[in-house]
Amino acid sequence: MTQAAAPVLAPDVLASIASELEHAGELCDRLETLVTQLVRASRGEPLAIALHEAQTLDVLTQHLAALAHFTRRLASQSPQEGYDLSEAVSGVTLGDLANRLARMTHAAEAVRADAGDLDLF
């Protein structure tokens, strides 16, 4: 007979995801260092392309850090009343990511605002 796994609380899951995102960011930092060293060692015209790609790694690292921060803020909230996504989004410093997360927040608020309304035509 197989034992059922014990239920895990959402804040614990979110904290675990945040830790994994931070770890992925650390790995990206290491990879960025390697790419930077390879770019410095390269010669010729492909150098500009390599520099651009190295900057993409930096953007990815920042993106992972912002997601980890967002997820940690959610993990620190009490889920009984639902999560305050606006508060969590407010700590995201990357504009594009914050806007995408905020759109999700506004969509959730619109659904809650429309809940129970009756439209007559």
Side-chain angles (χ1 to χ4, degrees):
M1 180 181 255
T2 313
Q3 265 188 328
V8 180
L9 299 175
D12 295 336
V13 172
L14 291 170
S16 178
I17 291 169
S19 293
E20 291 302 320
L21 288 167
E22 289 167 347
H23 178 68
E26 291 166 3
L27 294 174
C28 282
D29 272 341
R30 291 174 54 192
L31 183 58
E32 183 181 0
T33 300
L34 172 64
V35 170
T36 301
Q37 290 171 352
L38 291 173
V39 167
R40 287 182 181 152
S42 88
R43 303 282 183 244
E45 194 169 310
L47 182 61
I49 295 169
L51 284 172
H52 182 269
E53 293 306 316
Q55 290 171 343
T56 301
L57 273 172
D58 182 51
V59 171
L60 175 60
T61 302
Q62 291 178 41
H63 190 93
L64 289 168
L67 285 173
H69 182 78
F70 173 78
T71 307
R72 283 217 183 276
R73 286 185 98 151
L74 288 178
S76 69
Q77 296 178 16
S78 174
Q80 280 78 12
E81 297 288 323
Y83 291 101
D84 181 358
L85 297 179
S86 296
E87 189 276 331
V89 168
S90 70
V92 175
T93 56
L94 294 178
D96 289 345
L97 177 59
N99 287 334
R100 286 192 301 275
L101 292 170
R103 270 188 259 134
M104 176 182 62
T105 300
H106 296 309
E109 288 171 355
V111 169
R112 282 195 303 270
D114 289 343
D117 290 348
L118 176 62
D119 291 326
L120 299 175
F121 297 97

